[in-house]
Amino acid sequence: MSQTPAPQRVQTDSPWEESIGFARAVAAGDRVLVAGTMPLVRGVLHGEGDPYEQTLVAFGNALEALKSFGLGAESVVRTRMYLTHARDVDAVGRAHKELFEGVRPAATLVVVSGFVDSRVLVEVEVEAFRGEPA
């Protein structure tokens, strides 16, 4: 009987990873799960006031975490988008389509009351498949 490998974890420079105690991404079996990811790069918010730009940056950060496992957008099977204003659905959706139109992952988009940083308009999650296709 083969032994199941231990989950692999990726950490980034997010201050919340340490203070809350989580990993940016965890690979377990044939799945890689990327935690809620904001549009911050080295602690600096990108796209302040611009939900489209924030979505691109947040997904860029999430996709960067997938690279640690040799994966890219083509491996994404599920996305989740959390936004603070329903008025931003079109902008967030446009950014998602640009990144994933050829992949067409299962997607969820919900409006929430806010984030840890009130300037953040969008937070995203991704799940990727790293197994062999059926």
Side-chain angles (χ1 to χ4, degrees):
M1 192 151 98
S2 67
Q3 193 171 15
T4 303
Q8 301 167 289
R9 291 172 172 80
V10 169
Q11 300 295 143
T12 65
D13 63 357
S14 167
W16 292 290
E17 289 176 35
E18 187 62 33
S19 66
I20 295 173
F22 72 95
R24 170 63 47 215
V26 176
D30 61 3
R31 296 281 192 205
V32 178
L33 311 172
V34 180
T37 304
M38 293 188 204
L40 301 169
V41 178
R42 288 182 285 290
V44 175
L45 177 71
H46 286 252
E48 188 166 353
D50 182 347
Y52 170 79
E53 182 65 25
Q54 285 195 15
T55 303
L56 290 177
V57 173
F59 273 126
N61 289 340
L63 292 171
E64 189 65 32
L66 288 180
K67 283 184 185 177
S68 301
F69 300 103
L71 302 175
E74 71 284 349
S75 299
V76 173
V77 295
R78 180 172 188 72
T79 60
R80 292 180 183 93
M81 296 156 278
Y82 306 96
L83 49 150
T84 55
H85 301 287
R87 68 174 184 245
D88 296 335
V89 167
D90 289 342
V92 171
R94 182 167 48 97
H96 184 275
K97 184 176 181 179
E98 285 179 19
L99 294 167
F100 298 106
E101 182 172 24
V103 179
R104 299 280 176 142
T108 300
L109 189 148
V110 296
V111 177
V112 298
S113 63
F115 300 111
V116 173
D117 182 329
S118 62
R119 300 170 302 157
V120 172
L121 303 173
V122 180
E123 185 170 327
V124 303
E125 296 177 357
V126 301
E127 294 183 25
F129 178 73
R130 66 178 186 166
E132 293 297 320

